[in-house]
Amino acid sequence: MVQAKTWVLKQHFEGFPKDTDFELKVEQLSEPKDGEVLLEAVFLSVDPYMRPYSRVRMQAGDVMIGTQVAKVIQSNNPSFPVGCHVVGQCGWRTHTMSNGSDITKVLDAWPQDVSLSHALGAIGMPGLTALYGLEEVCAIKPGETLLVNAAAGAVGSVVGQIAKLKGCKVVGSAGSDEKVAYLKELGFDQAFNYKTVSSLEEALKKASPEGYDCYFENVGGPFSSVAITQMKAFGRIAVCGGISLYNDTTPQTGPYPHLQMIFNQLKMEGFLVGRWEHKNEESLKRMLTWIQEGKLKCKEHVTVGFENMPAAFMGMLQGENIGKAIVKV
């Protein structure tokens, strides 16, 4: 018998999450049956999507949703031998019993000098989100100008770097001077702290007076309303997230951009990364190659200890992280 620790959603979040919304529980796992494997978490991910998804995908008492990199410690499944590492939708658990349908082996070519935690970041879901949002939704072209907000986060920081690799001008918005400095290190052409500028409209105009061809949306709310007015004709907007809305108890309203979208013939498309799952293996290999060639840099904000999962999650929602927020068991 193996003792598994889990974090459960004690009650649905009302506004910003609180410590009392989570409860740490312990359960006993038996030996794996035929076709099953026993997993031990190594790294766990905390991501913005967990906040809105908790309302629509979870009930009070459920284990918190999420992805982890885990090591196979017992196996009755030849596809996943003992000692191999997998990425799985196991939730906030130290140990998981799996029949193999909800896990994927880490790339066979994974180099020794690259932390497996990146399988939860640039060489994982956030990196794929950045890639597909740019290539599949925006269909971005060399020479175009891209705006990305939450630009120092797990997705936004990769968005900007990929756009630079494709020969684009990149403007990024972030919530601290430290984050802005990081964006400049990454090669963003322009970056600003949206919390300290006197006018978001003027900051966007100054960064790109000619406007924006593509806008990678991670924030929503008032930022979006201002940004849409500065899109060029036939501009494309990839709606990845709306973190400014996730903790609202009363829905935000207007202004409404419909006339601007009509006059400039804009395309605005929401997307989920799973739409292009059939491309994942090839895409992850591309991302890994960029990292090995030094073309893609990945910063992590690592919290140590499974007991600190709620704190890491809430800190990420408050913008404490630069790059990918990870919990190391």
Side-chain angles (χ1 to χ4, degrees):
M1 299 285 283
V2 172
Q3 192 176 78
K5 296 179 182 177
T6 67
W7 279 106
V8 303
L9 180 68
K10 188 175 181 181
Q11 59 199 9
H12 276 295
F13 306 124
E14 293 295 336
F16 195 85
K18 308 179 294 296
D19 286 328
T20 52
D21 295 328
F22 306 93
E23 184 177 6
L24 184 61
K25 291 191 172 183
V26 176
E27 60 184 48
Q28 302 295 326
L29 299 179
S30 57
E31 298 292 311
K33 299 174 185 175
D34 187 43
E36 291 185 334
V37 295
L38 179 61
L39 308 174
E40 183 175 70
V42 181
F43 298 102
L44 296 101
S45 181
V46 287
D47 299 283
Y49 79 84
M50 296 173 177
R51 174 62 181 88
Y53 272 52
S54 69
R55 174 63 67 178
V56 298
R57 298 281 179 91
M58 296 182 64
Q59 301 293 326
D62 288 349
V63 175
M64 279 293 297
I65 56 176
T67 309
Q68 62 176 246
V69 172
K71 184 177 182 178
V72 176
I73 58 172
Q74 293 183 41
S75 177
N76 281 321
N77 187 325
S79 298
F80 301 99
V82 170
C84 76
H85 287 86
V86 300
V87 178
Q89 300 284 339
C90 304
W92 294 13
R93 309 173 57 91
T94 58
H95 296 80
T96 304
M97 195 69 71
S98 171
N99 63 8
S101 65
D102 55 351
I103 58 177
T104 305
K105 285 180 72 173
V106 170
L107 289 174
D108 290 334
W110 198 278
Q112 292 291 319
D113 59 345
V114 176
S115 172
L116 286 168
S117 57
H118 289 306
L120 301 174
I123 318 173
M125 181 274 289
L128 293 172
T129 300
L131 185 69
Y132 296 149
L134 288 175
E135 291 188 346
E136 305 292 341
V137 181
C138 285
I140 199 163
K141 304 177 187 69
E144 292 190 318
T145 300
L146 169 78
L147 170 64
V148 55
N149 50 19
V155 174
S157 59
V158 178
V159 167
Q161 291 182 82
I162 293 176
K164 288 303 298 178
L165 288 174
K166 292 180 175 292
C168 299
K169 174 182 175 180
V170 178
V171 176
S173 166
S176 75
D177 292 343
E178 182 184 9
K179 291 179 178 180
V180 169
Y182 175 59
L183 298 182
K184 292 179 178 176
E185 284 177 28
L186 294 180
F188 281 55
D189 297 280
Q190 298 288 334
F192 63 89
N193 181 347
Y194 73 91
K195 292 181 179 178
T196 58
V197 294
S198 57
S199 164
L200 177 59
E201 181 179 7
E202 290 305 314
L204 290 173
K205 284 182 178 176
K206 181 179 179 182
S208 182
E210 69 281 4
Y212 299 89
D213 299 285
C214 295
Y215 170 29
F216 198 106
E217 169 71 283
N218 290 311
V219 174
F223 190 108
S224 182
S225 299
V226 175
I228 288 173
T229 66
Q230 301 198 30
M231 298 296 294
K232 295 181 183 180
F234 300 102
R236 291 91 69 203
I237 304 167
V239 184
C240 170
I243 197 168
S244 72
L245 313 172
Y246 293 165
N247 295 301
D248 288 349
T249 52
T250 302
Q252 297 181 31
T253 59
Y256 304 103
H258 300 77
L259 287 178
Q260 193 75 35
M261 294 187 71
I262 294 167
F263 294 152
N264 280 336
Q265 302 184 73
L266 306 181
K267 176 185 176 183
M268 188 174 191
E269 181 179 347
F271 71 100
L272 298 174
V273 66
R275 193 196 310 181
W276 301 279
E277 188 175 4
H278 60 285
K279 295 187 175 186
N280 282 2
E281 185 173 357
E282 179 270 335
S283 298
L284 290 171
K285 288 178 180 177
R286 287 168 62 196
M287 307 289 280
L288 181 56
T289 298
W290 284 336
I291 286 179
Q292 291 178 291
E293 293 173 349
K295 295 177 180 178
L296 183 61
K297 298 179 175 62
C298 310
K299 198 163 190 173
E300 293 181 316
H301 183 97
V302 180
T303 301
V304 178
F306 182 76
E307 68 277 8
N308 294 317
M309 287 292 299
F313 175 61
M314 292 184 284
M316 176 273 305
L317 288 177
Q318 289 175 320
E320 292 178 0
N321 58 299
I322 295 180
K324 181 72 187 82
I326 294 288
V327 175
K328 182 179 180 180
V329 179

